[in-house]
Amino acid sequence: MPETFRVLIVDDDTEMRQSLAVLLERSGWSVDAFGSAQMALSRLDATAPDVVLSDVRMPGMSGLELLDEMSKRLSPPLVLISAHGDIPMAVDAIQNGAYSFLEKPFEPRRLLTVLRHAAEQHRLSDMTKRMREQLVSLSGLDRVLLGNNLRVVELRAEAVDLALSEAPVLITGETGTGKELVARALHRLGPRRDKEFVAINCAMLAPDRVEEQVFGTADTMLGSFRKADGGTLFLDEVAACPVGVQVKLLRALETGVIQPVGTDDDVQTDVRIVAATNEDLVPLVDAGTFRADFLFRLNTFELNLPRLIDRGEDIVMLYEHFVAQFCETYEISPIEMTSEDAAALLAHAWPGNVRELRHVAERRVLAARRGGGSVAEALRTDDLIDDVPATLREAVARFEKTLISQAISNHGGRMDAVAEALGIGRRTLNDKIVKLGLEKSKLLD
């Protein structure tokens, strides 16, 4: 049997409305008809049409005004008909979102064709939307990127599209925004989900064994690339990747070929690369510590995760989500959030982003388990550890920055003396000053 579509007819002319209804019902359509745009708009959700067919000139709300109201919500396509239509009106209607515009008297076969195409397009769009929502739910992406902030909603849609691609993705964002979680979700959503997801923290690679860890050895060690063969290789903190390894990674990205340590034989691999960084890589390219061609291969597509402070009321939603999880984990009754709690959440700067919020929620639940606590108290506890870096690399960078700053100040900016006092070469000192963003003039004020 042919597919049955549903149309909603809007026309204040009773005779025309009935004539259209008869034509469409005889052609196998399910029909709802109303004499005013206001009534049709109020019944739009209940009737759930695949397409709306409306006259333009009607008392009260016109067809163009109906189009404007429908554009403010997720609505089916609208086809306009009018005996008074002209080219400028048709162009204006199409530009404002109308699917098509027909002049009366219309040819019935053309009307049926236009309506069928509009309905088919709506069904296809609706099916695609449901499939996306199902994919997001199955992958856990709705939990990784929970929230109603517009950027977060867009990110969920982008992530579904990128998961189906084989191209490299660079995920950027501050520490604690959930970059690795998003990378794992991209893997779970994609066609490689049944293969391995292998993560490398580039900042933790042993300098004397980098190539062995990444490319493996001829005899015993597989290496990350071969472990991830057929799956996804995640390069976390990619800014810390040694330049020499960047060259070999670039070759592997372009050809899929690697060369394990201890052999001249090439090994063919098939991995999808997802990388992440909390640093802006462009200045590193300018400084010569990150290859431009490597960056261009990594950022075929880019996902930028927003800071928590920029996500508005999502902060409260995420907090309640984490609290509910921890209440279940620690087997305590749900905690009611007070207005003071909400105010404290929205007033905080959240330098640690979602990771910090999760820690605050856990401390709040643990305090409630002991019979007390508040968000403000949990945040005060967090303030005590705010300055503790999230990773070893950040801790080392902060220590170096403090040490070099102090040496520059102590030696009055005499860089040879500073290098000697630190036990490093002058060139190494200059490189670190650039990388750490130190300004000698400010240190000597």
Side-chain angles (χ1 to χ4, degrees):
M1 290 182 64
E3 190 172 12
T4 300
F5 292 114
R6 179 177 292 274
V7 61
L8 190 155
I9 299 172
V10 190
D11 200 314
D12 66 311
D13 184 328
T14 303
E15 185 176 342
M16 175 58 70
R17 190 168 67 248
Q18 291 175 345
S19 175
L20 287 168
V22 169
L23 170 65
L24 287 160
E25 285 173 345
R26 286 178 176 174
S27 301
W29 286 69
S30 176
V31 178
D32 291 288
F34 298 96
S36 73
Q38 294 96 326
M39 178 62 71
L41 193 62
S42 69
R43 298 290 296 163
L44 194 61
D45 292 337
T47 55
D50 296 299
V51 60
V52 176
L53 176 64
S54 175
D55 196 0
V56 171
R57 298 179 185 269
M58 295 180 290
M61 180 184 290
S62 70
L64 294 175
E65 289 170 331
L66 174 62
L67 172 64
D68 183 58
E69 288 298 318
M70 288 176 60
S71 67
K72 298 175 183 177
R73 60 169 87 178
L74 293 174
S75 298
L78 175 67
V79 175
L80 291 167
I81 54 175
S82 175
H84 311 284
D86 53 19
I87 297 301
M89 180 184 289
V91 171
D92 185 60
I94 299 297
Q95 288 179 342
N96 283 285
Y99 181 84
S100 188
F101 185 99
L102 300 173
E103 274 194 280
K104 300 176 186 175
F106 48 80
E107 201 277 312
R109 185 174 300 175
R110 171 161 169 69
L111 173 66
L112 290 170
T113 298
V114 169
L115 289 177
R116 187 179 71 255
H117 287 169
E120 288 172 347
Q121 179 177 303
H122 177 65
R123 287 272 179 98
L124 180 61
S125 175
D126 193 51
M127 181 180 68
T128 302
K129 179 175 178 290
R130 288 198 306 271
M131 288 177 63
R132 284 178 179 274
E133 290 173 347
Q134 184 180 27
L135 280 173
V136 166
S137 178
L138 288 173
S139 70
L141 192 61
D142 55 337
R143 296 186 293 278
V144 173
L145 290 172
L146 177 67
N148 295 323
N149 176 268
L150 178 60
R151 180 59 192 136
V152 174
V153 173
E154 291 173 343
L155 272 173
R156 286 198 292 264
E158 289 174 31
V160 171
D161 289 337
L162 294 184
L164 302 177
S165 168
E166 291 290 308
V169 178
L170 178 64
I171 305 173
T172 61
E174 291 185 359
T175 298
T177 49
K179 295 186 289 296
E180 182 170 348
L181 292 173
V182 172
R184 290 183 180 276
L186 289 177
H187 175 73
R188 289 195 300 271
L189 273 170
R192 297 173 177 265
R193 66 179 69 89
D194 294 329
K195 298 295 184 178
E196 293 295 317
F197 176 93
V198 177
I200 301 176
N201 188 321
C202 296
M204 302 297 288
L205 291 171
D208 57 340
R209 299 187 61 216
V210 170
E211 293 188 20
E212 291 180 13
Q213 291 173 289
V214 177
F215 302 113
T217 62
D219 44 18
T220 57
M221 186 181 292
L222 274 179
S224 301
F225 250 89
R226 283 189 285 179
K227 287 179 183 176
D229 193 24
T232 301
L233 183 62
F234 176 54
L235 304 176
D236 196 12
E237 298 194 63
V238 71
C241 189
V243 174
V245 177
Q246 291 176 33
V247 175
K248 295 198 173 186
L249 282 173
L250 181 61
R251 177 182 181 235
L253 279 172
E254 291 176 339
T255 66
V257 174
I258 65 168
Q259 199 170 77
V261 176
T263 179
D264 293 330
D265 296 334
D266 289 338
V267 176
Q268 186 70 43
T269 62
D270 173 28
V271 301
R272 199 255 178 109
I273 297 290
V274 178
T277 180
N278 58 8
E279 297 185 46
D280 185 352
L281 297 180
V282 174
L284 301 185
V285 171
D286 295 338
T289 59
F290 203 88
R291 293 179 60 95
D293 49 3
F294 187 44
L295 173 59
F296 295 148
R297 290 295 297 182
L298 291 177
N299 68 351
T300 304
F301 293 103
E302 187 170 327
L303 284 176
N304 180 253
L305 306 190
R307 302 180 305 162
L308 182 58
I309 193 65
D310 295 329
R311 292 177 57 179
E313 293 184 1
D314 275 3
I315 296 170
V316 176
M317 178 191 296
L318 283 165
Y319 169 79
E320 291 187 310
H321 172 71
F322 291 142
V323 165
Q325 283 186 334
F326 287 123
C327 283
E328 184 174 343
T329 299
Y330 293 111
E331 298 181 342
I332 70 169
S333 300
I335 300 172
E336 182 178 347
M337 186 171 67
T338 66
S339 57
E340 290 80 7
D341 287 339
L345 289 168
L346 294 173
H348 189 60
W350 300 109
N353 293 292
V354 177
R355 180 187 294 144
E356 180 187 1
L357 179 62
R358 185 180 179 87
H359 292 165
V360 168
E362 185 171 15
R363 286 196 294 276
R364 174 68 187 93
V365 170
L366 288 172
R369 195 180 185 193
R370 297 189 298 269
S374 68
V375 167
E377 290 173 2
L379 283 167
R380 279 197 293 274
T381 304
D382 205 53
D383 289 339
L384 299 176
I385 59 172
D386 258 354
D387 292 333
V388 179
T391 66
L392 178 61
R393 181 165 179 264
E394 289 174 323
V396 171
R398 184 172 298 186
F399 177 73
E400 286 186 337
K401 189 171 185 178
T402 301
L403 199 62
I404 293 172
S405 299
Q406 188 63 51
I408 291 173
S409 179
N410 290 344
H411 292 276
R414 299 188 306 277
M415 303 311 289
D416 287 336
V418 171
E420 184 178 353
L422 294 171
I424 59 177
R426 178 65 186 273
R427 182 175 178 180
T428 301
L429 174 61
N430 291 339
D431 288 343
K432 287 185 177 294
I433 287 173
V434 171
K435 186 173 182 179
L436 295 170
L438 291 170
E439 295 183 38
K440 188 171 73 172
S441 59
K442 291 185 178 180
L443 295 172
L444 296 175
D445 286 346

